[in-house]
Amino acid sequence: MPARAPIVAPSLLAADFARLGEELRAVEQAGADWLHLDVMDGHFVPNITFGPPLIKALRPLTRMVFDVHLMIAPVDPYIAAFAEAGADRILVHPESGPHLHRTLQAIAAHGCKPGVVLNPSTPVESIEWVLDLCETVMVMTVNPGFGGQAFLDSQLPKVAALRKKIDATGRAIALEIDGGVTPHTAPRLAAAGADTFVAGTAVFGAPDYAAAIAAIRTAAG
Ligand code: DX5
Ligand code: ZN
């Protein structure tokens, strides 16, 4: 089981895009630990969101950790731009380039914490030989591309398997979950060993952000 207190990372994807600055400040005041930023290119996933200029514009507004989830391919040519825009942590999918190890090295070389994201169909073994470079392993509990999708219970054994692999390293690698996280799904995820929880709809779709964040944290505690 994870030793650290659960981290809650609201996903800006579910925020009001006409009021992003206010939304970001609101979740920070509401107790968010990290801000999760979903970058989509309309190619790797069937949706388009935003890129480095938006992240750069938001960076001066907050001290929250920027947890940048890149759903773009190829990813390597854009690592520098996201690091320079203010990303603290950069998450990539193994399918978004031919050399995952090199991509993770590049993220670290640019001063950011590297992480790998597993799609629902991506096996646990895909991180086997890159775990030494990872600060995060993130499990998608929906298919990437959209917020508000139904949680995939099928991924719970994968979370448990990754918990074992991470514990075996002796390092505090974050085991993060993205997709369908709610106070209802968080207890099962925490029991499987997750310690970091991305939540879009469950935070920005709630009337009271502080209550929504606290409910997830309590459910995961
Ligand atoms: C989906 C994104 C998620 C998304 C989660 O591709 O990676 O971060 O915002 O949204 P919810 O929490 O609504 O499932
Ligand atoms: Zn995400």
Side-chain angles (χ1 to χ4, degrees):
M1 289 294 291
R4 60 171 93 177
I7 287 172
V8 179
S11 165
L12 207 60
L13 187 63
D16 178 352
F17 273 30
R19 300 168 41 252
L20 283 180
E22 291 166 50
E23 291 275 68
L24 173 154
R25 287 196 179 97
V27 286
E28 183 170 33
Q29 288 219 324
D33 302 294
W34 299 355
L35 187 72
H36 187 79
L37 295 142
D38 289 300
V39 178
M40 307 186 188
D41 66 355
H43 165 75
F44 184 70
V45 289
N47 196 6
I48 301 176
T49 56
F50 49 78
L54 182 106
I55 293 172
K56 189 175 179 183
L58 295 178
R59 184 66 280 184
L61 305 182
T62 176
R63 298 170 69 117
M64 271 187 296
V65 167
F66 275 8
D67 188 44
V68 178
H69 178 189
L70 297 182
M71 288 161 273
I72 63 175
V75 69
D76 287 356
Y78 303 99
I79 297 295
F82 283 102
E84 283 158 21
D88 296 295
R89 312 178 74 95
I90 296 182
L91 305 161
V92 297
H93 290 250
E95 299 86 358
S96 63
H99 300 289
L100 177 61
H101 189 276
R102 179 179 286 148
T103 303
L104 297 171
Q105 283 181 317
I107 293 169
H110 282 94
C112 299
K113 291 186 167 28
V116 174
V117 190
L118 306 186
N119 281 333
S121 64
T122 306
V124 166
E125 289 71 25
S126 61
I127 51 105
E128 188 86 37
W129 302 104
V130 295
L131 207 48
D132 60 319
L133 292 174
C134 289
E135 301 287 344
T136 301
V137 177
M138 187 165 86
V139 175
M140 294 299 310
T141 39
V142 298
N143 278 296
F146 301 95
Q149 302 181 79
F151 179 80
L152 297 172
D153 289 286
S154 61
Q155 302 303 299
L156 287 165
K158 186 192 281 185
V159 177
L162 286 165
R163 179 80 263 156
K164 283 198 187 124
K165 281 191 187 295
I166 289 171
D167 285 350
T169 69
R171 292 175 50 231
I173 300 167
L175 180 46
E176 188 167 2
I177 307 298
D178 190 5
V181 171
T182 67
H184 179 67
T185 57
R188 279 175 287 156
L189 291 163
D195 53 33
T196 304
F197 300 83
V198 175
T201 313
V203 172
F204 286 104
D208 180 340
Y209 296 171
I213 291 167
I216 294 168
R217 194 176 282 124
T218 303

